[in-house]
């Protein structure tokens, strides 16, 4: 990419002016949906409140034109969007900054690009993430970076960074990518995971790494109740998310099936800081 | 009722031997009539430059019943982002490999299918199957109750009591509004209730001490004793395992020398289903190769057998079958979610998702085998096209399968796209086949053939006067060669118009009416058999978990529009 | 004079006993006696004859009192409510027949509503687990005929499914189980000493909230791997011992209930139990089955699935079906203030939902279709009593093992009362007219 192309990123600002009585489904608030459109055309995009279809412009003040492509498009979301769902859903490139807290499904099914939320998010953020970057400066709800119901193919690529706490069911059925949580996490971390990395700087409760086939979990804080399927192996020193520390290294889940590579069984790894 | 005349189309009708000649097809009061019998006010459908066939007949698909619904329930991901909204005459639609009942009816109709058979109905659950059939619009349907692992059948056939078996079959067909005698993994699925299986036709069933061969022979004999419209319909033992073609031939040999007996024009005594899964040579997945030639050689020589192909379509799909042990075996291979239901006294079922990836050599070889079977078939009236939906692929891929069968170029394109093309060419005979099926042969394989095999040749599968007015017009001009084989797929995917029982149901691929579908079932009369009635009463008292009265009382609300084929076996 | 009706299906719980016999008066209006049913089932039949039954719809007035209205007026109101709402919730369905459920689905599709059933507070988590890992299962007759290892995990059938053990799971003498209960070993897992636990050969008093850990430990024990000294309050020796008991059977079944579906872990508990069942199939034959509660919650799941593709928590608001409990599930919808109207039938969320959700129900236009006066009808704007399904009307229903049975009518409903299905047809027709749909 040429330096001049980097400067070609266009910013569209949408400001909530009409908080919905129910909730707004804003799957069209993504660089992919905005790309190539003027602010007037963007204001004409559909949003959904229950079974009614409205226009983005009825709920948001829209200013600025989008870039030619998703990669050239930045969206800034202002105002009270706590009742807005699906921001950044399925995006493949570009950037979104939400200047407050928002609701469910932020960046769900995203493939690329970057989303920053300067507040909290509710459940289902980054469902089945395939690439890109999601930064949540506040707390995340349940099912962060988890698979969609019934799908054994969960988050496979990309990075998620939560500066606050996260809820339950982080990284369920994860196969790749990385999730970093600066705060604490609720029950069920990396359940059924077959790859990927989850780092919790704070504390975990229980049911960490349940039914895990493969993958790596690092818990810097405490785990209230360890899964019995985790067997202590050794103590190691590792640099993780910018911190060098000593970790007790467990392998597991010993109740689950595991793959072999070149005659060696591959286990999941759980590291707890000592 | 309405009169229509479909004019100037190129008609392909194996029932009347019409091979693409321009002819008119006249419809009156739900039936096909002679052109001269419609008045001048008949609505004219212009089929100039188009192909006209009878409505297609699906002989084997899993589209209604408990394991189908278990598949739907446990695969929300099968519906993600692909649901269709309510519009016009259509209810909401959902499901790729396991469509909802509404979508099932619409998608079959859009392709020109007007009759479909649910391949395996566990008798205890027949109510459920019929509720789903009721909610499947447009297409006539029937359902095959399963008999090959049934306690009554095994106990009678151990003692070679064919007449008792026949009496039981007649009773069960009536109690469940069933259509035919279906056999799945005979004996092996009862063994599965203990975690075991029968992999050859001679493996005895635990406790019941009868072999699959005895079950198969006995059920063929009972079927012919009754003179049912369809023959015994079998999914043999050892499905899906390399080297299983020998089990298949052993199964087929049981039918040797047996003559069909019926008043429905049926000429076979055994129908072998999803033959692709049963045509494997080799000893393991490494040396896995096609046994299609061996199997089709036998089929071609033995005219009292019909088969359907079970073509692999290279999709992510869901396997579901009454071959319970096979599904357990599959989940051990691919570690995907496994559902299983063992049914007391009767049968079992299993469900496991499967991805037929073009990058996996085994899947590519399976794809080739399915096509080889149809391309080696000498008599297209005895070899029918299916995908064993959804096991080898969704039924919505039939147009694609037809494309591959009609165009060597299309096959080559697919072969070149395989990651392990060399293995496909070395392990199967697909590379050497240049045969391209004609529209007439396709009509035989998808209409006239299956209808005849099912004993429905007087009703459907053809365009002779007196038959049901199930008529389809496709946007294919037989006089213009295809520039691109994808046009074949496009044309068969979206019929120009479809009539079901004389009602226009599809127009330019859009559903314009839900029609008035019927449930086909077989009512066989036998002589009074107090022994069998006593045995039935005893088993309900001791071994079933429902009462006999509740099992038998199939209220007609579940079968709102029944059509019974009457059979008199009381000679 | 009286007549006896046999082969009656009890419309109370998921055991769906179909051997009930009911003695009714000759004029077909009064139930005199009920035979074979448990105490709960008997009461279900008998209480339909209560003298203080309300028999006509009633509308809440501004001053809080009730005024009787006709079924026509009631259907008008219900259709208006559904037509005006942006996101209505049609909830319940578990105590009605499949014909009514199907009509309800049709209404929900026209209204573009959310449809949900009582699995939302019960075995919805089981359904989530089944979607994640599958379900090796069987019909109840298989248990009767073959099972020699029976596990009740987090359920108390002695109280909640009273005839389950005598009809299917412990006492019957089946084809391969001629010694009845003597053919079987019973393991009960429950923090409490229940009446069911008192019958057990082994009672594991699992620490509350740690069923997931104990299930994991059993899977580890099967593989003969290392275990910590205690898991979930159970010593490891006991865990290895129980693993051997399970393994040594020739046909095992795990029944489970709210003790694991609605305690910490929820769907994960069931997921791990299903995984354990799958593991046991490497050694012998095992199945697992949820103890469904309402007599036809299973039916609602089946009908929703074949018509829309999902078994509960179905969102039709965008014009096509969507599903994701946590988003499309009733309690979440209510707690988050996502719905603006509600139609409740064949269930009592007023009694069973968290109070935060009930508060929302009370503040939206709520239609309650129920023969009883309940906490739900107590906060509704319109209360429509209907005939008792399975007593005064027949209709299709599905047992806990998904076996379909045709319910029977034994007596007439009180004069002038409609059935669920009849009322729903009226609502549908009016709704279609309002929406201008054919």
């Amino acid at each position: 990419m040429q330096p001049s192309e980097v400067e070609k990123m266009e910013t569209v600002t949408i400001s909530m002016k009409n908080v919905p009585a129910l909730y707004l489904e804003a799957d069209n608030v993504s660089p992919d949906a905005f790309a190539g459109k003027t602010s007037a055309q963007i204001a004409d995009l559909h949003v959904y409140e229950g079974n009614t279809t409205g226009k983005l412009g009825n709920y948001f003040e829209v200013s600025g034109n989008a870039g030619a492509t998703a990669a050239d498009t930045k969206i800034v979301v202002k105002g009270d969007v706590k009742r807005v769902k699906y921001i950044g859903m399925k995006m493949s490139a570009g950037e979104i900054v939400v200047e407050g807290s928002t609701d469910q499904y932020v960046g769900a099914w995203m493939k690329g690009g970057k989303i920053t939320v300067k507040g909290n998010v509710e459940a289902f953020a980054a469902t089945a993430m395939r690439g890109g970057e999601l930064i949540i400066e506040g707390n995340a709800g349940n099912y962060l970076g988890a698979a969609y119901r019934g799908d054994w193919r969960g988050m496979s690529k990309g990075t998620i960074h939560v500066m606050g706490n996260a809820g339950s069911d982080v990284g369920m059925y994860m196969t790749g990518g990385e999730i970093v949580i600066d705060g604490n996490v609720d029950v069920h971390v990396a359940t059924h995971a077959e790859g990927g990395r989850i780092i919790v700087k704070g504390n975990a409760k229980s049911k960490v790494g349940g039914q895990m086939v493969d993958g790596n979990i690092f818990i810097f804080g405490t785990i209230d109740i360890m899964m019995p399927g985790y067997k202590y192996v050794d103590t190691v020193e590792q640099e993780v998310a910018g911190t060098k520390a000593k970790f007790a290294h467990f392998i597991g889940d010993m109740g689950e099936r595991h793959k072999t590579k070149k005659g060696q069984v591959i286990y999941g790894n759980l590291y707890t800081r000592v | 009722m309405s009169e229509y005349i479909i004019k100037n189309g190129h008609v392909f009708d194996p029932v009347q031997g019409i091979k693409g000649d321009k002819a008119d097809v006249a419809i009156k009061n739900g039936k096909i009539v002679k052109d001269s019998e419609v008045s001048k006010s008949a609505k004219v459908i212009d089929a100039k430059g188009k192909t006209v066939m009878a409505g297609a007949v699906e002989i084997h698909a899993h589209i209604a019943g408990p394991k189908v619904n278990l598949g739907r329930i446990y695969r929300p991901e099968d519906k993600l982002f692909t649901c269709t909204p309510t519009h016009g005459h259509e209810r909401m639609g959902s499901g790729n490999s396991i469509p909802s009942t509404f979508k099932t009816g619409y998608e079959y109709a859009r392709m020109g299918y007007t009759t479909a058979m649910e391949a395996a109905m566990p008798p205890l659950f027949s109510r459920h199957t019929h509720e789903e059939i009721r909610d499947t619009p447009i297409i006539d349907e029937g359902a095959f109750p399963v008999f090959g692992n049934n306690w009554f059948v095994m106990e009678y056939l151990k003692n070679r009591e064919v007449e008792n078996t026949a009496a039981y079959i007649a009773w069960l067909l009536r109690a469940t509004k069933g259509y035919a005698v279906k056999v799945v993994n005979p004996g092996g699925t009862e063994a599965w209730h203990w975690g075991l299986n029968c992999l050859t036709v001679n493996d005895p069933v635990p406790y019941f001490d009868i072999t699959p061969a005895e079950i198969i022979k006995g059920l063929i004999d009972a079927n012919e004793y009754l003179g049912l419209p369809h023959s015994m319909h079998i999914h043999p033992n050892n499905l899906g395992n390399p080297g299983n073609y020998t089990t298949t031939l052993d199964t087929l040999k049981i039918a040797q020398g047996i003559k069909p007996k019926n008043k429905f024009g049926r000429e076979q005594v055994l129908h072998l289903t999803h033959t692709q899964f049963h045509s494997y040579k080799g000893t393991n997945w490494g040396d896995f190769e096609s046994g299609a030639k061996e199997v089709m050689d036998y089929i071609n020589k033995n005219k009292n057998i019909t088969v359907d192909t079970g073509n692999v379509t290279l999709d992510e799909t869901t396997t579901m079958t009454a071959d319970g042990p096979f599904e357990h075996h599959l989940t051990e291979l691919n570690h995907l979610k496994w559902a299983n239901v063992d049914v007391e006294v009767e049968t079992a079922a299993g469900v496991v998702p499967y991805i037929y990836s073009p990058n996996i050599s085994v899947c590519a070889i399976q794809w080739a085998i399915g096509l080889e079977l149809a391309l080696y078939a000498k008599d297209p009236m005895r070899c029918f096209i299916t995908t064993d939906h959804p096991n080898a692929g969704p039924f919505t891929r039939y147009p694609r399968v037809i494309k591959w069968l009609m165009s060597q170029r299309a096959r080559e394109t697919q072969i070149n796209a395989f990651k392990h093309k060399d293995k496909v060419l070395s392990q199967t005979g697909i590379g050497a086949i240049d045969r391209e099926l004609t529209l007439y042969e396709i009509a035989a394989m998808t209409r006239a053939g299956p209808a005849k095999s099912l004993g429905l040749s007087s009703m459907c599968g053809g365009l002779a006067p007196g038959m049901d007015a199930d008529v389809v017009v496709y946007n294919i001009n037989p006089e213009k060669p295809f520039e691109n084989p994808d046009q074949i797929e496009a044309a068969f995917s979206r019929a120009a118009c479809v009539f079901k029982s004389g009602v226009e149901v599809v127009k330019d691929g859009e559903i314009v009416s839900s029609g008035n579908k019927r449930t086909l079932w077989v009512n066989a009369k036998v002589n009074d058999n107090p022994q069998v009635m006593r045995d039935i009463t005893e088993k309900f008292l001791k071994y079933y978990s429902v009462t006999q009265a509740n099992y038998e009382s199939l209220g007609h609300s579940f079968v709102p529009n029944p059509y019974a084929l009457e059979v008199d076996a009381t000679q | 004079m009286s007549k006896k009706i046999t082969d009656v299906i009890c419309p109370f719980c998921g055991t769906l006993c179909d051997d009930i016999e009911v003695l009714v008066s000759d004029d077909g209006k009064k139930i005199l006696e009920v035979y074979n049913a448990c105490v709960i089932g008997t009461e279900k039949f008998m209480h339909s004859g209560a003298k203080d039954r309300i028999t006509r719809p009633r509308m809440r007035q501004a001053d809080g009192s009730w005024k009787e209205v006709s079924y026509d007026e009631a259907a008008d109101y219900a259709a208006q409510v559904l037509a005006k709402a942006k996101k209505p919730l049609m909830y319940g369905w578990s105590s009605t027949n499949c014909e009514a459920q199907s009509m309800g689905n049709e209404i929900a599709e026209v209204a573009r509503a959310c449809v949900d059933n009582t699995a939302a507070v019960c075995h919805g988590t089981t359904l989530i687990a089944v979607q994640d890992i599958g379900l090796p299962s069987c019909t109840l007759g298989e248990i009767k005929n073959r099972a020699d290892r029976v596990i009740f995990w987090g359920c108390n059938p002695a109280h909640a499914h009273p005839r389950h053990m005598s009809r299917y799971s412990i006492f019957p003498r089946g084809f391969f189980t001629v010694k009845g209960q003597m053919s079987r070993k019973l393991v009960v897992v429950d923090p409490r000493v229940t009446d069911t636990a008192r019958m057990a050969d082994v009672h594991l008093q699992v620490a509350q909230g740690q069923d997931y850990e104990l299930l994991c430990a059993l899977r580890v024990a099967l593989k003969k791997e290392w275990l910590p000294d205690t898991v979930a309050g159970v010593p490891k020796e006991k865990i290895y011992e129980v693993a051997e008991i399970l393994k040594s059977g020739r046909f095992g079944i795990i029944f489970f209930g709210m003790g694991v579906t609605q305690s910490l872990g929820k769907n994960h508990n069931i997921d791990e139990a299903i995984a354990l069942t799958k593991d046991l199939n490497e050694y012998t034959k095992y199945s697992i089955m949820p103890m469904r509660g309402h007599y036809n919650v299973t039916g609602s799941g089946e009908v929703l699935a074949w018509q829309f593709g999902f078994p509960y928590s179905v969102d039709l608001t965008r014009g096509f079906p969507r599903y994701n409990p946590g988003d499309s599930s009733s309690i979440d919808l209510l707690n988050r203030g996502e719905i603006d109207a509600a139609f409740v039938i064949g269930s009592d969320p007023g009694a069973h939902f968290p109070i935060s959700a009930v508060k929302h129900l009370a503040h939206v236009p709520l239609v309650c279709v129920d023969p009883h006066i309940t906490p739900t009808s107590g906060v509704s704007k319109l209360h429509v009593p209907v005939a008792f399904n399975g007593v005064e009307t027949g209709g299709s229903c599905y047992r806990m093992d998904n076996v379909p049975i045709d319910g029977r009518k034994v007596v007439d409903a009180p004069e002038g009362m409609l059935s669920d299905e009849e009322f729903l047809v009226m609502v549908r027709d009016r709704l279609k007219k309002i929406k201008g749909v054919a």
Side-chain angles (χ1 to χ4, degrees), chain B residues 189-311:
Chain B
T189 295
E190 163 57 35
W192 172 240
H193 290 227
W194 297 114
L196 306 168
N197 198 1
C198 297
L199 288 173
T200 78
V201 297
N202 298 311
D203 291 348
V205 181
Y207 296 104
F208 290 90
D209 203 28
I210 185 176
T211 64
E214 291 168 322
I215 296 172
I216 296 165
K217 176 77 171 52
L219 285 171
I220 294 177
D221 289 343
N223 196 89
E224 298 319 303
Y225 175 99
L226 290 167
L228 299 179
H230 189 37
S231 61
M232 200 259 330
H233 183 126
I234 184 161
H235 154 150
N237 304 85
N238 209 10
L239 177 140
N241 294 319
N244 68 4
Y245 84 103
T246 55
T247 317
T248 307
L249 292 175
D250 288 342
T251 305
L252 295 175
K253 288 187 178 125
I254 296 168
Q256 219 153 39
I258 304 181
K259 288 191 169 46
K261 203 186 119 252
N262 68 98
K263 296 188 161 74
F264 297 92
R266 162 175 60 86
E267 291 183 342
Q268 87 281 359
V269 300
L270 182 153
H271 176 84
L272 170 66
T273 190
H274 43 68
T275 307
Q276 176 269 128
F277 287 118
H278 301 279
S279 304
Y280 296 166
K281 276 172 84 170
T283 59
N284 56 56
W285 295 117
D287 65 10
F288 173 54
E289 57 176 319
S290 165
K293 217 180 227 129
E294 283 81 354
V295 173
M296 283 317 286
D297 273 347
Y298 188 90
I299 303 290
N300 285 332
K301 291 196 188 91
N302 288 273
K303 303 202 197 291
N304 65 348
I305 298 175
T306 56
V307 305
D308 69 79
T309 51
N311 288 97

Side-chain angles (χ1 to χ4, degrees), chain A residues 25 51 105 148-149 169 211, chain C residues 86 268 318 323 325 327:
Chain A
E25 294 186 24
N51 57 23
Y105 297 109
Y148 175 65
R149 301 287 181 200
D169 296 88
Q211 300 166 280
Chain C
K86 289 190 194 174
H268 296 283
R318 290 277 289 263
Y323 162 84
D327 168 20

Side-chain angles (χ1 to χ4, degrees), chain B residues 89-144:
Chain B
H89 287 262
E90 289 183 49
R91 296 281 303 265
M92 292 179 184
S94 75
N96 288 327
S97 64
I98 318 169
S100 63
T101 52
F102 304 131
K103 183 171 177 183
T104 300
Y106 304 142
E107 292 304 315
Y108 266 118
R110 244 187 278 276
M111 297 189 303
Y113 276 76
T114 48
T115 305
M117 290 293 165
E118 159 52 49
M121 170 169 73
L124 181 60
F125 288 86
S126 56
R127 228 166 244 86
H128 181 163
T129 302
H130 285 297
E131 286 196 85
E132 290 198 26
I133 286 179
R134 178 203 63 207
D135 285 355
T136 308
I138 300 171
I139 54 178
D140 283 347
E141 282 174 273
F144 303 154

Side-chain angles (χ1 to χ4, degrees), chain A residues 171-189:
Chain A
M172 183 160 176
Y173 269 114
M174 190 174 187
T175 62
E178 183 175 277
I179 302 177
V180 179
I181 296 156
D182 291 348
N184 305 320
V185 79
D186 205 332
V187 291
H188 292 294
V189 179

Side-chain angles (χ1 to χ4, degrees), chain A residues 21-23 25-27 48-53 59 83 85-86 103-105 109 122-124 127 143 148-152 169 172-173 186-188 191-192 206-207 209-211 225-232 253-257 267, chain C residues 82 85-88 111-113 128 131-133 209-214 216-217 219-220 223 225-228 231 264-269 271-272 275 279 310 315-318 322-328 333 336-340 435:
Chain A
L22 300 180
Y23 280 71
E25 294 186 24
D27 18 315
Y48 309 89
E49 191 182 343
N51 57 23
T52 64
T53 304
Y59 298 88
R83 297 172 85 82
K85 302 156 89 162
Y86 294 107
D103 196 52
Q104 299 175 346
Y105 297 109
W109 295 282
E122 292 295 320
F124 309 119
T127 299
Y143 295 99
Y148 175 65
R149 301 287 181 200
D151 207 335
W152 58 94
D169 296 88
M172 183 160 176
Y173 269 114
D186 205 332
V187 291
H188 292 294
T191 311
H192 278 300
S206 64
K207 311 179 208 293
Q211 300 166 280
I225 303 175
M226 280 285 278
M227 285 292 295
Y230 280 84
K231 190 161 91 171
Y232 173 77
D253 175 345
M254 300 309 282
E256 188 52 59
R257 68 177 170 91
Y267 294 103
Chain C
L82 289 169
K86 289 190 194 174
K87 193 156 182 165
R112 304 225 328 211
I128 292 175
Q131 289 163 350
D132 283 333
I133 193 170
Q210 293 185 44
D211 296 87
Y212 188 70
E213 283 80 356
L214 181 57
C216 171
R219 294 182 72 198
V220 172
K223 293 180 162 64
E225 290 282 352
W226 171 89
L227 275 177
V231 178
L264 183 63
K266 293 195 177 178
N267 54 291
H268 296 283
N269 296 334
D271 193 324
E272 187 74 301
D279 288 352
F310 308 106
D315 180 339
L316 304 174
T317 54
R318 290 277 289 263
R322 293 183 302 166
Y323 162 84
N324 197 355
D327 168 20
S328 58
L333 288 168
R336 284 156 44 86
E338 269 208 70
I339 60 126
D340 57 349
K435 293 259 176 180

